[in-house]
Amino acid sequence: MADDPTFDTRPPALAEECVCVSPLVRRVVAGNPGPITFTGTCSYIVGTGNVAIIDPGPDMPDHVEAILNAVRGETVTHILVTHTHKDHSPAAAAIKAATGAVIVGCAPHHSARPLFSGEVNTLEASSDKGYAPDQELNEGDAIEGAGWTLEALATPGHMANHLAFVLPEEKALFSGDHVMAWSTTVVAPPDGSMSAFMASLDKLRGREETLYWPGHGGPVQEPQRFVRALIHHRHQREASILNRLRAGDRTIPEIVAAIYQGLNPALVGAAGLSVFAHLEDLVAKGQAAVDGLPALDSEYHAV
């Protein structure tokens, strides 16, 4: 673990089953498994009596019903959203309509940078452009309920608007898709930014929370140690990309084939996007060069 993260790929729960995972937290996993979502999106219920829901998840009737059944007889005061991917935010509208709760959290969808001329956002369809919060939360903003507090922590990188939420009563952090125990995070320009992602990891490394509840998979144990391992992993990935450029590779597919040997074919596209994010960052730092502007189909060179 000192050098590389050890991933926990145990399923956290059955789909649509509400599980009490701590004195203040319940979890409902959506029935949307996949190569990027693992066993499904984790929606969290914080508190008892007067409660908040974090990451209501995809707008799937079974999932919305499971959440509403889990809070039946309670008052939902807030619906919090970490970021605007379609597996995290769309159910907010249905739960708001059913409960009257306000939607708070991340800003509406926006990219980390504008599209370059001729560039196509390959993940455009995965973003929830309809998300409209009643209140945007910024770094340090907090909401409160009976016996609980949720504080916003800006963690851009996976997406430009990504937030995490701190539960100080349990020294826990709802980390969204920024840090997950089951896998590394996809960082895909233009919506995501590798430089912002790494800065957000550095921010978490200096904090004192003892447990993370992520957007997919089970909890992150010993989070500071795990985050240090993720940072090391990203630095190693960056070094591997630079080595491939020095060896003569010029395109993202060539680099992916060389450094992701044995990769599940369903994840090749995601790996290419993360390599693109690293290359974009390396070009910005003057450690790599590109013919024209950085793009998925550009040719890159060692400096």
Side-chain angles (χ1 to χ4, degrees):
M1 173 69 93
D3 295 324
D4 287 299
T6 300
F7 296 114
D8 182 357
T9 56
R10 292 172 296 178
L14 297 175
E16 315 306 356
E17 177 186 17
C18 182
V19 177
C20 184
V21 293
S22 81
L24 286 174
V25 180
R26 288 167 277 172
R27 180 183 57 206
V28 181
V29 179
N32 62 331
I36 301 297
T37 57
F38 190 38
T39 60
T41 303
C42 295
S43 298
Y44 296 98
I45 302 162
V46 178
T48 56
N50 291 327
V51 305
I53 295 169
I54 298 177
D55 277 352
D59 190 12
M60 298 169 55
D62 287 350
H63 187 57
V64 171
E65 182 181 5
I67 291 174
L68 293 176
N69 285 338
V71 298
R72 200 164 303 282
E74 299 179 289
T75 300
V76 181
T77 60
H78 298 84
I79 303 163
L80 292 88
V81 176
T82 61
H83 66 290
T84 47
H85 275 145
K86 285 186 176 178
D87 58 321
H88 285 261
S89 57
I95 293 174
K96 175 182 178 178
T99 65
V102 294
I103 300 172
V104 301
C106 69
H109 175 76
H110 63 279
S111 296
R113 61 160 173 79
L115 285 172
F116 297 134
S117 177
E119 184 180 18
V120 175
N121 186 349
T122 59
L123 292 181
E124 186 78 16
S126 69
S127 299
D128 180 11
K129 299 296 183 62
Y131 166 77
D134 297 297
Q135 178 188 355
E136 293 179 27
L137 297 182
N138 298 308
E139 176 95 18
D141 290 343
I143 63 170
E144 296 181 352
W148 55 264
T149 310
L150 290 167
E151 302 172 358
L153 183 69
T155 50
H158 174 63
M159 292 189 82
N161 62 357
H162 197 288
L163 293 178
F165 299 108
V166 179
L167 179 64
E169 290 83 358
E170 294 189 346
K171 296 189 71 174
L173 179 86
F174 296 92
S175 56
D177 282 2
H178 182 59
V179 175
M180 299 177 288
W182 79 280
S183 176
T184 56
T185 297
V186 174
V187 181
D191 291 348
S193 161
M194 187 59 70
S195 61
F197 180 78
M198 295 301 291
S200 294
L201 286 180
D202 279 334
K203 178 192 287 190
L204 292 190
R205 182 171 58 174
R207 295 185 60 84
E208 297 181 351
E209 284 78 32
T210 58
L211 189 71
Y212 290 0
W213 297 111
H216 305 275
V220 178
Q221 311 280 353
E222 299 185 87
Q224 283 74 27
R225 190 179 181 194
F226 189 77
V227 167
R228 287 196 302 270
L230 286 178
I231 292 170
H232 174 80
H233 173 80
R234 290 291 183 178
H235 287 160
Q236 290 297 103
R237 182 68 74 209
E238 181 180 86
S240 296
I241 291 169
L242 286 171
N243 286 337
R244 293 314 310 168
L245 292 179
R246 295 181 186 116
D249 289 348
R250 294 290 176 260
T251 68
I252 288 174
E254 287 175 330
I255 295 170
V256 169
I259 66 176
Y260 288 91
Q261 295 181 14
L263 182 67
N264 179 345
L267 295 174
V268 168
L273 290 167
S274 280
V275 168
F276 177 31
H278 275 292
L279 285 166
E280 188 175 79
D281 187 38
L282 288 167
V283 169
K285 293 187 294 189
Q287 295 178 259
V290 62
D291 295 340
L293 293 170
L296 278 168
D297 58 357
S298 296
E299 291 197 357
Y300 296 85
H301 311 269
V303 172

